[in-house]
Amino acid sequence: MEKIRKRKNTGRVTLQDVAKYAGVGSMTVSRALRTPDLVSDKLREKINEAVTELGYIPNSAAGILASGQSRTIAVLVPSLRDYASSVFLQSLQDILNNKGYQVVIGSHDYQQKKESEVLFTLLQSNPAALVIFGAINSESVFSYLKNIDIPVIGVAGESTHSFSLNIGSNIGEAVYFLTNYMLQKGYKKIGYIGAQMDSKIQSQQLNGWTKAMLNHYHSAEQSITTPYVATMDFGRQSISEMLTRQPELDAVICSHEMLALGVIFECQRRLIKIPSMLAIACVEGSSNCDHIHPSLTSVRIDYSKIARETAKKLQKWLADPNYDYLNQQEEIIFPYKFEARQSA
């Protein structure tokens, strides 16, 4: 087989280069790469050897133009570091990759100004569908969404925009329930520590805590929040500030597990006994809550299950060219799970 040089103008090996190297036609190479079952084992092995030797990377954009179909799913998330985003992304990617789809991910780090920029970049990949997780949804984002004709799924986010499908959970109701649980346990001076409060879904948490406290005629003034990502350091700093403001504080609810861990570590440093001196609970809990000491009371949401439902809907829609997703508005609410543990 003849040695092929990469093109000087692009440095990219072409389909024609692979065909020449393998001694076959371009159509045969294309068929072997796209529908390998239609090519003999011997010929397919010969072409694969040429692809490997030359380092050929198929041009997916050209394939989209030829077939009119994209195998790319764009996913916009608020952060790659928080628990909810990472669990959802991993599960969604595993399922879609197994079905022949590629997931393109963009993160705006809870910055409203950055959200529309990242979305614009994602849409340039000509995706077959768009998934928006934990939406902030600035006005500029809505302008993009009005002009695209692909299925859009909103997950775990409160939005004024009607997506083809909205998948969420009653997070405000969950925090209201959690606060009531602690009040019924006899705690009265309950604080709230929240992160990522630019997100509407996180604001629901604060509202749930406030509503429960006021309904029981207790003060809802002991709250510390940040628009930034949840960290243990912020949890430690916040509980220190709260205890300075109100030494008689007897319980705290955290919007994220990471914040609660910071609170626990700070209490241990100060020799504050949990829960006799300070009860702690969190939202967005994971299995980690079961293994720390004391084990952490939490509200949990099954983001893996939500990802499976998202992937299921996407596969169904994309397999049906006649599906009218533009005029479809569907909503699915997943239940939360309450886990009472030692910390409260």
Side-chain angles (χ1 to χ4, degrees):
M1 287 184 282
E2 183 182 353
K3 187 68 176 178
I4 299 296
R5 289 185 178 182
K6 296 179 182 180
R7 290 189 173 185
K8 291 183 179 180
N9 60 340
T10 65
R12 186 186 183 101
V13 175
T14 67
L15 185 75
Q16 290 73 24
D17 293 335
V18 174
K20 188 174 182 180
Y21 190 97
V24 297
S26 298
M27 290 298 294
T28 303
V29 175
S30 178
R31 188 179 303 112
L33 295 176
R34 298 173 68 178
T35 53
D37 293 343
L38 300 181
V39 179
S40 68
D41 292 343
K42 185 176 180 180
L43 189 56
R44 187 167 63 247
E45 184 178 339
K46 190 177 182 181
I47 291 170
N48 286 339
E49 181 183 341
V51 168
T52 302
E53 180 67 25
L54 297 177
Y56 172 66
I57 301 174
N59 187 339
S60 59
I64 292 170
L65 289 173
S67 65
Q69 294 181 335
S70 170
R71 302 293 292 180
T72 299
I73 307 297
V75 184
L76 179 65
V77 297
S79 172
L80 296 174
R81 293 178 290 173
D82 65 52
Y83 168 77
S85 296
S86 60
V87 171
F88 175 82
L89 272 177
Q90 187 62 60
S91 299
L92 183 70
Q93 187 165 260
D94 289 346
I95 298 168
L96 292 177
N97 284 353
N98 287 335
K99 299 298 181 179
Y101 290 97
Q102 294 298 319
V103 176
V104 179
I105 302 165
S107 170
H108 52 75
D109 294 322
Y110 292 94
Q111 298 178 40
Q112 192 173 83
K113 292 181 179 179
K114 190 177 176 183
E115 185 188 29
S116 59
E117 296 174 9
V118 177
L119 177 59
F120 179 73
T121 301
L122 287 175
L123 294 177
Q124 287 181 320
S125 66
N126 191 31
L130 170 66
V131 178
I132 300 179
F133 184 86
I136 293 177
N137 293 165
S138 57
E139 288 301 320
S140 53
V141 166
F142 293 146
S143 65
Y144 287 133
L145 297 179
K146 290 176 183 176
N147 297 314
I148 60 175
D149 58 352
I150 58 174
V152 180
I153 297 181
V155 180
E158 182 73 10
S159 175
T160 55
H161 183 83
S162 296
F163 298 119
S164 305
L165 172 64
N166 287 283
I167 302 178
S169 59
N170 291 322
I171 198 70
E173 177 186 309
V175 177
Y176 180 81
F177 174 88
L178 182 56
T179 308
N180 271 326
Y181 169 82
M182 298 182 81
L183 288 165
Q184 290 166 9
K185 284 288 185 179
Y187 303 108
K188 297 178 180 179
K189 297 176 177 63
I190 305 173
Y192 175 84
I193 302 174
Q196 302 159 5
M197 298 308 291
D198 272 358
S199 168
K200 294 183 180 71
I201 200 72
Q202 296 305 136
S203 297
Q204 287 184 29
Q205 287 199 33
L206 183 60
N207 293 338
W209 167 78
T210 302
K211 181 181 177 182
M213 293 296 287
L214 295 180
N215 283 353
H216 287 79
Y217 306 103
H218 294 304
S219 170
E221 296 179 356
Q222 285 298 337
S223 67
I224 297 178
T225 63
T226 178
Y228 302 110
V229 69
T231 63
M232 284 190 282
D233 191 48
F234 183 73
R236 293 182 65 171
Q237 292 176 11
S238 298
I239 194 61
S240 295
E241 184 177 335
M242 276 190 176
L243 290 171
T244 300
R245 289 184 195 168
Q246 188 177 22
E248 63 273 21
L249 187 79
D250 57 10
V252 65
I253 293 173
C254 299
S255 65
H256 294 79
E257 177 184 279
M258 196 64 68
L259 297 178
L261 292 176
V263 172
I264 288 175
F265 295 149
E266 181 62 19
C267 286
Q268 291 172 343
R269 188 184 74 82
R270 291 171 173 241
L271 302 181
I272 296 173
K273 295 181 180 179
I274 305 170
S276 60
M277 296 172 67
L278 184 72
I280 304 168
C282 77
V283 191
E284 305 281 15
S286 72
S287 59
N288 293 333
C289 295
D290 302 327
H291 303 298
I292 62 173
H293 181 75
S295 56
L296 183 58
T297 294
S298 64
V299 167
R300 306 184 193 185
I301 299 168
D302 192 341
Y303 288 107
S304 290
K305 189 174 182 180
I306 292 177
R308 291 193 294 272
E309 183 64 27
T310 302
K312 177 181 174 183
K313 288 291 184 179
L314 285 172
Q315 292 173 62
K316 179 181 178 181
W317 292 351
L318 297 177
D320 183 2
N322 298 317
Y323 184 78
D324 186 17
Y325 49 78
L326 292 178
N327 295 313
Q328 174 78 11
Q329 278 94 42
E330 185 179 351
E331 184 175 22
I332 299 175
I333 301 297
F334 277 81
Y336 59 85
K337 185 178 181 181
F338 173 66
E339 297 282 355
R341 293 293 184 263
Q342 296 169 345
S343 67

